[in-house]
Amino acid sequence: MSVARVVFFGTPQFAVPSLLALVRAGHDVSLVITQPDRPVGRKRVLTSPAVKQTALELGLRILQPERVRAEEVLQQVAACAPDVLVTAAYGQILPERLLALARMGCLNVHASLLPRWRGAAPLQRAMMAGDTKTGVTLMEMVKELDAGPIVAVRETAIGENETWGALEARIAQLGAELLVEVLPRYLAGAIQPMAQPSEGVTYAERIVRRDEWIDWNQPAWSVHNRIRALSPAPGATCTWNGRPFKVLETRWPIESCMTGDGEPGDVRVVAGTVSVRCADGWLTLLCVQPAGKRTMAAVDWVRGAGAKVHLTAGGQP
């Protein structure tokens, strides 16, 4: 079978390339299920998910249930008589009753090399942990979170200065390409999924407020990884002059330091380069956002900040 009848589940920008790839490959996407519109930003403007916006442009039928377990959802999916369900960062766990409605079950596009980093924030957790590689896994969905048999994997290196935003865009495209490449062979029974190994399982918990805090007393590699894992949003946070201060981009490698060469959190400018002292060296600052201000180059911030600048750990005034 070269053309599949698909019901697609996805919500954020990460899922958009997979939806587009399915349509462009000629598959029949009979229904798109995404999360409801939500208030976004300080003004709480009601905003549609990226997948809904794309589906509208493509003229696809859309469903936005609060609960994917609702009987109406099950009925509408069943009416589509899908060959396969495809999910990509949908945001709700699909019940077994729903998975059973497709002839071949459900394939999930997951942004990690499973079984490492099952869960909600795989790329951000991989970067925070200092992983040098990641990838995308196409797997069959089962009741347990991200534990289903693996259908296909594609690996890629994580650049030492790559931000989460840039990496996620790359992985989303990689996943879309893998999905349309593998789907026809999977539906034809030409691929035998492999059970995930029991060794090497880790979980990528959702990012919470405390994950955003910078501690300049940590090694620079750890600090750098936290900052880039939270860029462009929500941004890693420390404190300057008693107010929250976001650091959005830093650059590796560091400049080594000697005993007495500043204290963690000290900021200096040498030959036009702004850097901040960490436990083991000076980390270059590129992009920051003081409280109540726009995002700006670190050198522009320092120019107006005064002669002696010190940053304290996030969450601490």
mmCIF file of all heavy atoms in Angstrom, residues 236-281:
data_model
loop_
_atom_site.group_PDB
_atom_site.id
_atom_site.type_symbol
_atom_site.label_atom_id
_atom_site.label_comp_id
_atom_site.label_asym_id
_atom_site.label_seq_id
_atom_site.Cartn_x
_atom_site.Cartn_y
_atom_site.Cartn_z
ATOM 1 N N ALA A 236 16.774 31.031 30.228
ATOM 2 C CA ALA A 236 17.381 30.750 31.532
ATOM 3 C C ALA A 236 17.481 32.060 32.311
ATOM 4 O O ALA A 236 17.773 33.111 31.748
ATOM 5 C CB ALA A 236 18.763 30.129 31.343
ATOM 6 N N THR A 237 17.254 31.985 33.622
ATOM 7 C CA THR A 237 17.109 33.189 34.436
ATOM 8 C C THR A 237 18.094 33.235 35.595
ATOM 9 O O THR A 237 18.291 32.243 36.299
ATOM 10 C CB THR A 237 15.679 33.281 35.000
ATOM 11 O OG1 THR A 237 14.743 33.266 33.917
ATOM 12 C CG2 THR A 237 15.487 34.563 35.803
ATOM 13 N N CYS A 238 18.710 34.401 35.784
ATOM 14 C CA CYS A 238 19.480 34.686 36.987
ATOM 15 C C CYS A 238 18.942 36.008 37.540
ATOM 16 O O CYS A 238 17.819 36.401 37.220
ATOM 17 C CB CYS A 238 20.979 34.744 36.693
ATOM 18 S SG CYS A 238 21.465 36.013 35.494
ATOM 19 N N THR A 239 19.719 36.686 38.371
ATOM 20 C CA THR A 239 19.264 37.947 38.966
ATOM 21 C C THR A 239 20.326 39.018 38.797
ATOM 22 O O THR A 239 21.518 38.772 38.996
ATOM 23 C CB THR A 239 18.965 37.754 40.471
ATOM 24 O OG1 THR A 239 18.009 36.712 40.624
ATOM 25 C CG2 THR A 239 18.419 39.021 41.083
ATOM 26 N N TRP A 240 19.880 40.210 38.419
ATOM 27 C CA TRP A 240 20.775 41.369 38.312
ATOM 28 C C TRP A 240 20.086 42.569 38.948
ATOM 29 O O TRP A 240 18.937 42.877 38.620
ATOM 30 C CB TRP A 240 21.110 41.655 36.843
ATOM 31 C CG TRP A 240 21.914 42.907 36.646
ATOM 32 C CD1 TRP A 240 23.094 43.229 37.259
ATOM 33 C CD2 TRP A 240 21.587 44.007 35.798
ATOM 34 N NE1 TRP A 240 23.533 44.456 36.850
ATOM 35 C CE2 TRP A 240 22.625 44.970 35.936
ATOM 36 C CE3 TRP A 240 20.541 44.283 34.930
ATOM 37 C CZ2 TRP A 240 22.633 46.169 35.244
ATOM 38 C CZ3 TRP A 240 20.540 45.479 34.242
ATOM 39 C CH2 TRP A 240 21.583 46.417 34.398
ATOM 40 N N ASN A 241 20.775 43.191 39.857
ATOM 41 C CA ASN A 241 20.214 44.337 40.590
ATOM 42 C C ASN A 241 18.872 44.006 41.238
ATOM 43 O O ASN A 241 17.946 44.820 41.263
ATOM 44 C CB ASN A 241 20.061 45.549 39.668
ATOM 45 C CG ASN A 241 21.401 46.219 39.389
ATOM 46 O OD1 ASN A 241 22.408 45.921 40.038
ATOM 47 N ND2 ASN A 241 21.413 47.126 38.421
ATOM 48 N N GLY A 242 18.761 42.766 41.729
ATOM 49 C CA GLY A 242 17.557 42.361 42.440
ATOM 50 C C GLY A 242 16.367 42.026 41.575
ATOM 51 O O GLY A 242 15.274 41.788 42.093
ATOM 52 N N ARG A 243 16.557 41.989 40.261
ATOM 53 C CA ARG A 243 15.450 41.696 39.349
ATOM 54 C C ARG A 243 15.812 40.534 38.429
ATOM 55 O O ARG A 243 16.993 40.290 38.156
ATOM 56 C CB ARG A 243 15.098 42.932 38.509
ATOM 57 C CG ARG A 243 14.728 44.157 39.341
ATOM 58 C CD ARG A 243 14.237 45.271 38.439
ATOM 59 N NE ARG A 243 12.951 44.942 37.822
ATOM 60 C CZ ARG A 243 12.387 45.639 36.841
ATOM 61 N NH1 ARG A 243 13.030 46.702 36.329
ATOM 62 N NH2 ARG A 243 11.219 45.302 36.331
ATOM 63 N N PRO A 244 14.807 39.790 37.935
ATOM 64 C CA PRO A 244 15.094 38.674 37.028
ATOM 65 C C PRO A 244 15.837 39.143 35.783
ATOM 66 O O PRO A 244 15.565 40.230 35.252
ATOM 67 C CB PRO A 244 13.701 38.141 36.676
ATOM 68 C CG PRO A 244 12.830 38.591 37.801
ATOM 69 C CD PRO A 244 13.372 39.913 38.235
ATOM 70 N N PHE A 245 16.744 38.321 35.326
ATOM 71 C CA PHE A 245 17.592 38.663 34.184
ATOM 72 C C PHE A 245 17.782 37.393 33.359
ATOM 73 O O PHE A 245 18.285 36.392 33.859
ATOM 74 C CB PHE A 245 18.947 39.182 34.688
ATOM 75 C CG PHE A 245 19.902 39.629 33.603
ATOM 76 C CD1 PHE A 245 19.851 40.912 33.089
ATOM 77 C CD2 PHE A 245 20.872 38.750 33.104
ATOM 78 C CE1 PHE A 245 20.744 41.330 32.112
ATOM 79 C CE2 PHE A 245 21.760 39.153 32.128
ATOM 80 C CZ PHE A 245 21.695 40.445 31.626
ATOM 81 N N LYS A 246 17.338 37.439 32.103
ATOM 82 C CA LYS A 246 17.414 36.247 31.258
ATOM 83 C C LYS A 246 18.688 36.251 30.411
ATOM 84 O O LYS A 246 19.077 37.293 29.869
ATOM 85 C CB LYS A 246 16.187 36.143 30.349
ATOM 86 C CG LYS A 246 14.910 35.817 31.098
ATOM 87 C CD LYS A 246 13.777 35.472 30.154
ATOM 88 C CE LYS A 246 12.535 35.058 30.936
ATOM 89 N NZ LYS A 246 11.443 34.604 30.037
ATOM 90 N N VAL A 247 19.288 35.083 30.319
ATOM 91 C CA VAL A 247 20.424 34.868 29.425
ATOM 92 C C VAL A 247 19.960 33.900 28.344
ATOM 93 O O VAL A 247 19.582 32.765 28.629
ATOM 94 C CB VAL A 247 21.644 34.297 30.168
ATOM 95 C CG1 VAL A 247 22.806 34.105 29.208
ATOM 96 C CG2 VAL A 247 22.051 35.215 31.317
ATOM 97 N N LEU A 248 19.959 34.361 27.103
ATOM 98 C CA LEU A 248 19.365 33.598 26.007
ATOM 99 C C LEU A 248 20.391 32.910 25.108
ATOM 100 O O LEU A 248 20.042 31.966 24.394
ATOM 101 C CB LEU A 248 18.471 34.515 25.167
ATOM 102 C CG LEU A 248 17.319 35.167 25.933
ATOM 103 C CD1 LEU A 248 16.578 36.147 25.060
ATOM 104 C CD2 LEU A 248 16.364 34.107 26.468
ATOM 105 N N GLU A 249 21.625 33.392 25.125
ATOM 106 C CA GLU A 249 22.624 32.744 24.262
ATOM 107 C C GLU A 249 24.024 32.978 24.811
ATOM 108 O O GLU A 249 24.387 34.091 25.189
ATOM 109 C CB GLU A 249 22.530 33.279 22.827
ATOM 110 C CG GLU A 249 23.368 32.506 21.833
ATOM 111 C CD GLU A 249 23.173 32.973 20.398
ATOM 112 O OE1 GLU A 249 22.360 33.902 20.174
ATOM 113 O OE2 GLU A 249 23.842 32.417 19.513
ATOM 114 N N THR A 250 24.798 31.895 24.877
ATOM 115 C CA THR A 250 26.203 31.944 25.257
ATOM 116 C C THR A 250 27.007 31.193 24.200
ATOM 117 O O THR A 250 26.438 30.538 23.319
ATOM 118 C CB THR A 250 26.429 31.316 26.635
ATOM 119 O OG1 THR A 250 25.805 30.014 26.683
ATOM 120 C CG2 THR A 250 25.846 32.183 27.735
ATOM 121 N N ARG A 251 28.317 31.283 24.304
ATOM 122 C CA ARG A 251 29.161 30.624 23.288
ATOM 123 C C ARG A 251 30.253 29.796 23.960
ATOM 124 O O ARG A 251 30.884 30.234 24.919
ATOM 125 C CB ARG A 251 29.795 31.656 22.354
ATOM 126 C CG ARG A 251 30.585 31.008 21.187
ATOM 127 C CD ARG A 251 31.136 32.045 20.233
ATOM 128 N NE ARG A 251 32.171 32.867 20.858
ATOM 129 C CZ ARG A 251 32.231 34.183 20.790
ATOM 130 N NH1 ARG A 251 31.286 34.857 20.138
ATOM 131 N NH2 ARG A 251 33.204 34.867 21.374
ATOM 132 N N TRP A 252 30.438 28.610 23.438
ATOM 133 C CA TRP A 252 31.502 27.704 23.853
ATOM 134 C C TRP A 252 32.627 27.757 22.824
ATOM 135 O O TRP A 252 32.334 27.966 21.657
ATOM 136 C CB TRP A 252 30.936 26.273 23.967
ATOM 137 C CG TRP A 252 31.830 25.337 24.705
ATOM 138 C CD1 TRP A 252 32.708 24.439 24.170
ATOM 139 C CD2 TRP A 252 31.937 25.206 26.126
ATOM 140 N NE1 TRP A 252 33.359 23.767 25.149
ATOM 141 C CE2 TRP A 252 32.910 24.222 26.374
ATOM 142 C CE3 TRP A 252 31.333 25.850 27.209
ATOM 143 C CZ2 TRP A 252 33.276 23.850 27.660
ATOM 144 C CZ3 TRP A 252 31.682 25.477 28.474
ATOM 145 C CH2 TRP A 252 32.646 24.486 28.701
ATOM 146 N N PRO A 253 33.912 27.640 23.177
ATOM 147 C CA PRO A 253 34.461 27.224 24.474
ATOM 148 C C PRO A 253 34.637 28.392 25.428
ATOM 149 O O PRO A 253 34.432 29.551 25.069
ATOM 150 C CB PRO A 253 35.805 26.627 24.082
ATOM 151 C CG PRO A 253 36.218 27.423 22.888
ATOM 152 C CD PRO A 253 34.951 27.713 22.130
ATOM 153 N N ILE A 254 35.069 28.058 26.649
ATOM 154 C CA ILE A 254 35.288 29.065 27.677
ATOM 155 C C ILE A 254 36.746 29.518 27.671
ATOM 156 O O ILE A 254 37.607 28.891 27.046
ATOM 157 C CB ILE A 254 34.937 28.532 29.077
ATOM 158 C CG1 ILE A 254 35.838 27.330 29.455
ATOM 159 C CG2 ILE A 254 33.481 28.177 29.162
ATOM 160 C CD1 ILE A 254 35.710 26.905 30.902
ATOM 161 N N GLU A 255 36.983 30.609 28.377
ATOM 162 C CA GLU A 255 38.348 31.041 28.644
ATOM 163 C C GLU A 255 38.686 30.626 30.072
ATOM 164 O O GLU A 255 37.930 30.905 31.002
ATOM 165 C CB GLU A 255 38.479 32.555 28.491
ATOM 166 C CG GLU A 255 39.900 33.052 28.691
ATOM 167 C CD GLU A 255 40.007 34.562 28.502
ATOM 168 O OE1 GLU A 255 39.098 35.140 27.863
ATOM 169 O OE2 GLU A 255 40.991 35.143 28.991
ATOM 170 N N SER A 256 39.771 29.923 30.248
ATOM 171 C CA SER A 256 40.125 29.417 31.575
ATOM 172 C C SER A 256 40.417 30.565 32.534
ATOM 173 O O SER A 256 40.705 31.692 32.120
ATOM 174 C CB SER A 256 41.344 28.498 31.482
ATOM 175 O OG SER A 256 42.447 29.193 30.929
ATOM 176 N N CYS A 257 40.346 30.276 33.816
ATOM 177 C CA CYS A 257 40.588 31.289 34.831
ATOM 178 C C CYS A 257 41.591 30.773 35.851
ATOM 179 O O CYS A 257 41.838 29.571 35.947
ATOM 180 C CB CYS A 257 39.289 31.695 35.527
ATOM 181 S SG CYS A 257 38.463 30.325 36.353
ATOM 182 N N MET A 258 42.152 31.703 36.604
ATOM 183 C CA MET A 258 43.107 31.363 37.643
ATOM 184 C C MET A 258 42.533 31.743 38.999
ATOM 185 O O MET A 258 41.527 32.459 39.090
ATOM 186 C CB MET A 258 44.423 32.111 37.407
ATOM 187 C CG MET A 258 45.099 31.779 36.086
ATOM 188 S SD MET A 258 46.599 32.759 35.819
ATOM 189 C CE MET A 258 45.887 34.395 35.569
ATOM 190 N N THR A 259 43.154 31.259 40.068
ATOM 191 C CA THR A 259 42.717 31.593 41.418
ATOM 192 C C THR A 259 42.712 33.110 41.606
ATOM 193 O O THR A 259 43.668 33.792 41.253
ATOM 194 C CB THR A 259 43.647 30.948 42.458
ATOM 195 O OG1 THR A 259 43.669 29.531 42.246
ATOM 196 C CG2 THR A 259 43.163 31.242 43.871
ATOM 197 N N GLY A 260 41.616 33.621 42.131
ATOM 198 C CA GLY A 260 41.500 35.054 42.338
ATOM 199 C C GLY A 260 41.038 35.827 41.127
ATOM 200 O O GLY A 260 40.923 37.061 41.177
ATOM 201 N N ASP A 261 40.766 35.113 40.047
ATOM 202 C CA ASP A 261 40.335 35.755 38.802
ATOM 203 C C ASP A 261 38.818 35.930 38.803
ATOM 204 O O ASP A 261 38.085 35.264 38.082
ATOM 205 C CB ASP A 261 40.781 34.896 37.608
ATOM 206 C CG ASP A 261 40.529 35.584 36.269
ATOM 207 O OD1 ASP A 261 40.226 36.791 36.275
ATOM 208 O OD2 ASP A 261 40.641 34.909 35.236
ATOM 209 N N GLY A 262 38.339 36.843 39.634
ATOM 210 C CA GLY A 262 36.909 37.092 39.717
ATOM 211 C C GLY A 262 36.177 36.050 40.538
ATOM 212 O O GLY A 262 36.738 35.030 40.944
ATOM 213 N N GLU A 263 34.882 36.294 40.769
ATOM 214 C CA GLU A 263 34.016 35.377 41.489
ATOM 215 C C GLU A 263 32.875 34.954 40.574
ATOM 216 O O GLU A 263 32.493 35.693 39.658
ATOM 217 C CB GLU A 263 33.450 36.058 42.740
ATOM 218 C CG GLU A 263 34.497 36.462 43.758
ATOM 219 C CD GLU A 263 33.871 37.145 44.959
ATOM 220 O OE1 GLU A 263 32.635 37.377 44.929
ATOM 221 O OE2 GLU A 263 34.605 37.450 45.911
ATOM 222 N N PRO A 264 32.298 33.767 40.801
ATOM 223 C CA PRO A 264 31.164 33.335 39.977
ATOM 224 C C PRO A 264 30.069 34.396 39.928
ATOM 225 O O PRO A 264 29.636 34.911 40.959
ATOM 226 C CB PRO A 264 30.694 32.060 40.682
ATOM 227 C CG PRO A 264 31.938 31.501 41.280
ATOM 228 C CD PRO A 264 32.711 32.709 41.757
ATOM 229 N N GLY A 265 29.675 34.748 38.727
ATOM 230 C CA GLY A 265 28.672 35.792 38.512
ATOM 231 C C GLY A 265 29.248 37.116 38.076
ATOM 232 O O GLY A 265 28.520 37.971 37.572
ATOM 233 N N ASP A 266 30.565 37.320 38.260
ATOM 234 C CA ASP A 266 31.198 38.559 37.791
ATOM 235 C C ASP A 266 31.144 38.631 36.265
ATOM 236 O O ASP A 266 31.310 37.615 35.576
ATOM 237 C CB ASP A 266 32.656 38.625 38.232
ATOM 238 C CG ASP A 266 32.801 39.004 39.701
ATOM 239 O OD1 ASP A 266 31.783 39.346 40.324
ATOM 240 O OD2 ASP A 266 33.934 38.937 40.220
ATOM 241 N N VAL A 267 30.919 39.828 35.738
ATOM 242 C CA VAL A 267 30.869 40.054 34.289
ATOM 243 C C VAL A 267 32.025 40.967 33.900
ATOM 244 O O VAL A 267 32.314 41.950 34.588
ATOM 245 C CB VAL A 267 29.524 40.701 33.880
ATOM 246 C CG1 VAL A 267 29.510 41.023 32.384
ATOM 247 C CG2 VAL A 267 28.368 39.772 34.229
ATOM 248 N N ARG A 268 32.693 40.655 32.794
ATOM 249 C CA ARG A 268 33.795 41.488 32.327
ATOM 250 C C ARG A 268 33.723 41.648 30.815
ATOM 251 O O ARG A 268 33.059 40.866 30.120
ATOM 252 C CB ARG A 268 35.145 40.884 32.716
ATOM 253 C CG ARG A 268 35.520 39.639 31.932
ATOM 254 C CD ARG A 268 36.885 39.119 32.349
ATOM 255 N NE ARG A 268 37.307 38.024 31.469
ATOM 256 C CZ ARG A 268 38.427 37.316 31.648
ATOM 257 N NH1 ARG A 268 39.219 37.570 32.674
ATOM 258 N NH2 ARG A 268 38.743 36.342 30.797
ATOM 259 N N VAL A 269 34.406 42.662 30.325
ATOM 260 C CA VAL A 269 34.505 42.898 28.887
ATOM 261 C C VAL A 269 35.986 42.961 28.533
ATOM 262 O O VAL A 269 36.724 43.787 29.072
ATOM 263 C CB VAL A 269 33.808 44.210 28.476
ATOM 264 C CG1 VAL A 269 33.878 44.390 26.963
ATOM 265 C CG2 VAL A 269 32.365 44.222 28.956
ATOM 266 N N VAL A 270 36.410 42.089 27.627
ATOM 267 C CA VAL A 270 37.791 42.058 27.158
ATOM 268 C C VAL A 270 37.779 42.053 25.639
ATOM 269 O O VAL A 270 37.199 41.153 25.022
ATOM 270 C CB VAL A 270 38.549 40.815 27.684
ATOM 271 C CG1 VAL A 270 39.960 40.771 27.112
ATOM 272 C CG2 VAL A 270 38.584 40.816 29.205
ATOM 273 N N ALA A 271 38.386 43.069 25.037
ATOM 274 C CA ALA A 271 38.451 43.180 23.580
ATOM 275 C C ALA A 271 37.070 43.063 22.941
ATOM 276 O O ALA A 271 36.894 42.407 21.903
ATOM 277 C CB ALA A 271 39.390 42.117 23.010
ATOM 278 N N GLY A 272 36.085 43.695 23.569
ATOM 279 C CA GLY A 272 34.737 43.713 23.015
ATOM 280 C C GLY A 272 33.910 42.469 23.276
ATOM 281 O O GLY A 272 32.759 42.395 22.836
ATOM 282 N N THR A 273 34.486 41.492 23.994
ATOM 283 C CA THR A 273 33.763 40.254 24.297
ATOM 284 C C THR A 273 33.279 40.289 25.739
ATOM 285 O O THR A 273 34.065 40.502 26.669
ATOM 286 C CB THR A 273 34.660 39.023 24.086
ATOM 287 O OG1 THR A 273 35.015 38.943 22.707
ATOM 288 C CG2 THR A 273 33.931 37.752 24.488
ATOM 289 N N VAL A 274 31.982 40.075 25.941
ATOM 290 C CA VAL A 274 31.389 40.051 27.272
ATOM 291 C C VAL A 274 31.377 38.614 27.774
ATOM 292 O O VAL A 274 30.945 37.705 27.061
ATOM 293 C CB VAL A 274 29.951 40.605 27.254
ATOM 294 C CG1 VAL A 274 29.357 40.612 28.661
ATOM 295 C CG2 VAL A 274 29.918 41.993 26.647
ATOM 296 N N SER A 275 31.838 38.398 28.988
ATOM 297 C CA SER A 275 31.823 37.045 29.550
ATOM 298 C C SER A 275 31.477 37.091 31.018
ATOM 299 O O SER A 275 31.620 38.124 31.687
ATOM 300 C CB SER A 275 33.164 36.346 29.332
ATOM 301 O OG SER A 275 34.225 37.110 29.839
ATOM 302 N N VAL A 276 31.001 35.959 31.535
ATOM 303 C CA VAL A 276 30.604 35.851 32.932
ATOM 304 C C VAL A 276 31.380 34.703 33.566
ATOM 305 O O VAL A 276 31.604 33.663 32.944
ATOM 306 C CB VAL A 276 29.081 35.659 33.068
ATOM 307 C CG1 VAL A 276 28.619 34.398 32.359
ATOM 308 C CG2 VAL A 276 28.655 35.637 34.534
ATOM 309 N N ARG A 277 31.789 34.920 34.797
ATOM 310 C CA ARG A 277 32.601 33.929 35.510
ATOM 311 C C ARG A 277 31.726 32.788 36.019
ATOM 312 O O ARG A 277 30.703 33.006 36.672
ATOM 313 C CB ARG A 277 33.306 34.611 36.691
ATOM 314 C CG ARG A 277 34.092 33.680 37.593
ATOM 315 C CD ARG A 277 35.412 33.249 36.962
ATOM 316 N NE ARG A 277 36.411 33.020 37.990
ATOM 317 C CZ ARG A 277 36.518 31.918 38.744
ATOM 318 N NH1 ARG A 277 35.666 30.929 38.565
ATOM 319 N NH2 ARG A 277 37.461 31.829 39.653
ATOM 320 N N CYS A 278 32.117 31.548 35.686
ATOM 321 C CA CYS A 278 31.497 30.346 36.229
ATOM 322 C C CYS A 278 32.512 29.679 37.159
ATOM 323 O O CYS A 278 33.581 30.228 37.423
ATOM 324 C CB CYS A 278 31.075 29.409 35.096
ATOM 325 S SG CYS A 278 29.875 30.139 33.952
ATOM 326 N N ALA A 279 32.225 28.478 37.623
ATOM 327 C CA ALA A 279 33.108 27.818 38.575
ATOM 328 C C ALA A 279 34.500 27.587 38.013
ATOM 329 O O ALA A 279 35.493 27.672 38.735
ATOM 330 C CB ALA A 279 32.492 26.494 39.024
ATOM 331 N N ASP A 280 34.589 27.289 36.721
ATOM 332 C CA ASP A 280 35.862 26.867 36.142
ATOM 333 C C ASP A 280 36.331 27.715 34.968
ATOM 334 O O ASP A 280 37.257 27.331 34.248
ATOM 335 C CB ASP A 280 35.775 25.404 35.693
ATOM 336 C CG ASP A 280 34.627 25.171 34.727
ATOM 337 O OD1 ASP A 280 33.802 26.098 34.534
ATOM 338 O OD2 ASP A 280 34.536 24.070 34.156
ATOM 339 N N GLY A 281 35.696 28.865 34.720
ATOM 340 C CA GLY A 281 36.149 29.686 33.609
ATOM 341 C C GLY A 281 35.158 30.763 33.243
ATOM 342 O O GLY A 281 34.094 30.911 33.866
#
